[in-house]
Amino acid sequence: MSIKLTVNGDTRELDIDADMPLLWAIRDHLQLTGTKFGCGMALCGACTVHIDGQATRSCVTPVTAAQGKQITTIEGLSTAAGRAVQAAWIGLDVPQCGYCQSGQVMSAAALLAANPKPSDADIDAAMAGNICRCATYVRIRGAIHQAAETLATGAPAAP
Amino acid sequence: MYFRHIEDAAALAVGRSPAELSRRQFLKLTTLAGSGLTLGMVLPGCGTGPGGAAAGPLVMPFVRIAPDNTVTVISKHLEAGQGVWTGLPAIVAEELDASWDQMRVESAPAQVPMYGNLAMGGKIQLTGGSTAVANSWQQLRQAGATARAMLVAAAAKAWAVPASEIKVSQGVVSHTGAGRKATFGELAGSAAKEPVPTQVSLKDPAAFSIVGNEKLPRLDARAKSTGKQQFAIDVMLPGMMTAVVMRPPRFGGKVSSFDATKARAVAGVIDVVQIPRGVAVIGKDMWSAKKGREALSVTWDESGAEKRGTTQLMKEYHALSRSKEAVTVTQRGDVEAALAHAVKRVEGEFEFPYLAHAPMEPLTAVCQLSADKCEIWAGCQFQTVDQANAAAAVGLKPEQVSINTLAAGGTFGRRANPESDYISEVASIAKATGGKYPVRLIWTREDDITGGRYRPLNYHRVTAAIGKDGKVAYRQRVVGQSIVAGTPFASMMIKNGVDPTAVGGSAPEQYDLADAHVSWSPPTVGVPVLWWRSVENTHMAFSKEVMIDELAHAARQDPVAFRLALLGEHPRHVGALKLAAEKAGWDSPFSKEKGRGRGVAVHESFGSVVAQVAEVTVSGDKITVDRVVCAVDCGIAVTPDVVKAQMQSGIGYGLSAALYGKITLTDGHVDQTNFHQYQVLRINDMPRAIEVYIVPSTNPPSGVGEPGTPPIAPAVANAVRAATGIRLHTLPFDLAAARRARA
Ligand code: FES
Ligand code: FES
């Protein structure tokens, strides 16, 4: 069926199954491959996107539920929080294999948008849905704190 | 509508680096030249530029310097997170005196001997055994120094000055007297015309400024923080279809027959084909392929399938440990006599589950097949093995198969399997569909968790004792499957009946023990097993370090002092252990209030020694690891921050197994399917503090990707015993069960 999706500000009409998860519409039909597949069951966070600003697991979100909403993927992340997070990620060399990191960045950006000065406990709570098998967690915590500081002191530049 | 969206040039260019043209040309040339190419051989540049200066690249097997002033290091190793795309360029940049900003990296094609792993004799191209930097060290220093010498020679000729007066710094070649300077890019074309020096001198390590630089940023951090890094799952080729495979529900099962009627009726399903490892459902996208597979009905022939469960297997392992069927792994002195006369004796039985690697990127590979050519895109870890297996699957010669090694979303050993399971599968699918379209195979997480190739289930039985003279005697029986038996690696690796990837790194190898005996009983089980980050050390280090700790406890000695007394012949163990203990404040008082405890472990693997001190809090049956202090001796730390990251990573990976990791089977069926059942470490379980210290060393670099993993589980177990008195001998840790067992 015809589905209209607004991703990173662009509205596209796709002829896809109504039950298709947003993840596969984004990856296979819009060719935006920054959003990753890790589990398909909302268990790992690799597929995290923002829907109307909320961090959402796209692997369990049917495309019909995303219609008419603003979907942001890593490719379109441009909020101040998003930029600060990415700059901190690069500055602290957070990524290892990097596969989970789009999801981590999207979750971290959503966290900072809602809570500009998170504690370690806040970070653990907000980020526990994002698995990193390379266990970059110590640096993720550090980078979120650093991004929070950047946000508090001024607008971060694009990474 | 699916194809309509593949107009994006970037998508079409997938797998192609910006410098594709020269790389393509390079590949063609290297293929033509065959294996006769040597390190220093220069491939033709591109003619003469304006003003008589030769324009064009300097192209060598491991380094390419382009007119745009970029220096690209050709990586023969897979980047899977461990940092080789930073470490290998650092070695070249150091000898070349390049500026870090100009460094780039790309994957080498599959080719031996040029890109063979020198730690494995150079005949196979593979990344494993934590050897990437270690085996490349001399090779890439040489490559960097050779390229530098040719740039200098070209400048000397152009400026008519002696080469010895030319300086190279930060990517700029200069001569003060003549007042001349040039970039690498400007000199590359004429350097390519210079003869390749047969001898170059390497830098004095004291003059290193890139190697050992704490601040050197990873070359891949930006792409990996912005979603731009490309993995196999991101490859989009025009007309590409997506496949998933239905595999036997029990290991060793085979397709008896299948009915694809319903699967074919699913919208978007293109084809259903049988391949040696199952039945593939091919769709226009992942969703249709997956739905097609759900509608597929397969009848399995399970006559040869493994039908035992892990409870039964463990029972059999216990029995085997008491049988005479075993081979000797290590023998020192007379352990039976020493045990008979001991004054203190400790017994230990240890159980280790099967473990899935569960890399974040589920196994994925893309294949494009024509009559005489097969091209593979994957996070290949065993390039030439994968090439040969793909060739066999499609009926071509290995040289007709080209391998594009992309960054892998983790591996931890999973992608290095002798039969190249997922790559053979995608090649078989391409063959079965006649190469009509490029095909991308994706394993779902369920396929990954239930797909076998686990860290072997293991049972260890240990008796350790202290004699009147204070000497330690140690007897151990290990029961666990061989990893290499039945593979082409068996003849190379199994010596005197012992598979070193199944058993090794035992107490008598790592401590000065006069009387010891370690034996191994390999059971035959149909569950496929594989090397899992740090291989045999995952279980061997655990029983060793827990037993040594319990001996120290029995002798009422401090665990660090007790170990140091047994390490006279192991100075690197001493160095790492002392550094970790000092930084952890081991000699200062440690409050055991509120369920706190502290434990230590030290272990050598892959040429490196790692010591860790873990501080834990036990509340009820929950174990929280508060702090880990880690010291590593890995020879020269080429990229210290990557070394630190690998220690943090190894600790997290090992902790995941210590607290959660467990694959069980019931009647031959794997019980866990996804991360809700196969739990892994999440951020809330990661220690708040992990401090890593590097032991200063002038030795050549040794392993880093794996050695951080073995010590963490025993360090935590020892900390928990210090806090509670409870001995944890079964992984993953289950304090409640251990309390019940003691009661
Ligand atoms: S792929 Fe969506 S949460 Fe794992
Ligand atoms: S960086 Fe590899 S899974 Fe997170």
Side-chain angles (χ1 to χ4, degrees), chain B residues 179-204:
Chain B
R180 302 290 295 266
K181 62 171 136 182
T183 64
F184 289 178
E186 287 162 352
L187 289 168
S190 38
K193 295 194 167 32
E194 289 296 319
V196 180
T198 47
Q199 265 200 320
V200 287
S201 52
L202 302 180
K203 272 191 186 171
D204 175 355

Side-chain angles (χ1 to χ4, degrees), chain B residues 81-114:
Chain B
Q82 83 282 36
V84 294
W85 278 2
T86 303
L88 303 183
I91 301 170
V92 172
E94 180 65 70
E95 291 291 347
L96 191 55
D97 283 314
S99 149
W100 189 242
D101 299 341
Q102 71 189 136
M103 299 307 293
R104 306 285 183 272
V105 65
E106 69 185 34
S107 290
Q111 196 182 322
V112 285
M114 196 194 305

Side-chain angles (χ1 to χ4, degrees), chain B residues 631-715:
Chain B
V632 51
D633 178 346
C634 58
I636 292 172
V638 172
T639 44
D641 193 54
V642 172
V643 173
K644 288 183 181 171
Q646 281 313 292
M647 292 302 120
Q648 294 167 340
S649 173
I651 287 165
Y653 202 74
L655 207 48
S656 191
L659 299 178
Y660 300 110
K662 186 178 194 171
I663 292 286
T664 57
L665 286 83
T666 304
D667 300 330
H669 293 277
V670 177
D671 297 321
Q672 296 75 21
T673 61
N674 206 320
F675 290 125
H676 59 309
Q677 294 156 327
Y678 186 69
Q679 293 208 41
V680 298
L681 194 85
R682 293 171 183 272
I683 194 168
N684 50 307
D685 282 317
M686 190 71 170
R688 285 282 158 85
I690 297 185
E691 298 152 44
V692 181
Y693 302 93
I694 299 173
V695 178
S697 171
T698 52
N699 291 325
S702 46
V704 160
E706 298 171 271
T709 297
I712 188 62

Side-chain angles (χ1 to χ4, degrees), chain A residues 94-101 104 131-136, chain B residues 360 409-410:
Chain A
V94 172
Q96 291 190 20
C97 83
Y99 192 79
C100 74
Q101 299 296 348
Q104 306 279 5
I131 294 172
C132 175
R133 285 295 280 155
C134 301
T136 59
Chain B
M360 254 350 268

